[in-house]
């Protein structure tokens, strides 16, 4: 059995980290589909395409988006 490697939420503390969709979803409290819908609408940071099936987000982009959302309440 292959053990699934999970990315800790603490990875977002390093602005240079590249975050997986599961980590981004946990941080922002949105589902995968909603995140991709917001990207398409220009309302969420664009991911970095690292391959045909590999997408990552800069931790700094995600945390900046969260900070902006907190300031506009």
């Amino acid at each position: 059995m292959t053990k699934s490697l999970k990315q800790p939420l603490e990875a977002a503390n390093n602005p240079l980290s590249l975050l997986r969709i599961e980590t981004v979803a946990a941080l922002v409290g949105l589902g995968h589909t909603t995140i991709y819908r917001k990207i398409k609408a220009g309302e969420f940071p664009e991911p970095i395409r690292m391959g045909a099936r590999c997408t990552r987000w800069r931790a700094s982009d995600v945390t900046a988006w969260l900070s902006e959302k907190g300031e506009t309440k």
Side-chain angles (χ1 to χ4, degrees):
M1 179 184 339
T2 305
K3 185 176 180 181
S4 175
L5 298 177
K6 300 286 182 175
Q7 185 176 41
L9 290 176
E10 291 78 23
N13 292 334
N14 179 350
L16 300 177
S17 291
L18 296 175
L19 305 177
R20 299 167 56 108
I21 184 65
E22 295 83 7
T23 307
V24 172
L27 285 170
V28 301
L30 299 172
H32 301 192
T33 304
T34 303
I35 290 170
Y36 283 110
R37 193 175 352 191
K38 286 185 171 292
I39 291 167
K40 188 173 182 179
E43 300 172 357
F44 196 80
E46 288 279 337
I48 299 169
R49 303 273 183 217
M50 300 183 73
R53 299 186 65 189
C54 183
T55 304
R56 300 290 186 265
W57 283 260
R58 287 180 192 89
S60 59
D61 292 346
V62 176
T63 55
W65 182 85
L66 280 169
S67 293
E68 179 185 300
K69 290 300 170 191
E71 292 172 4
T72 59
K73 283 187 175 181

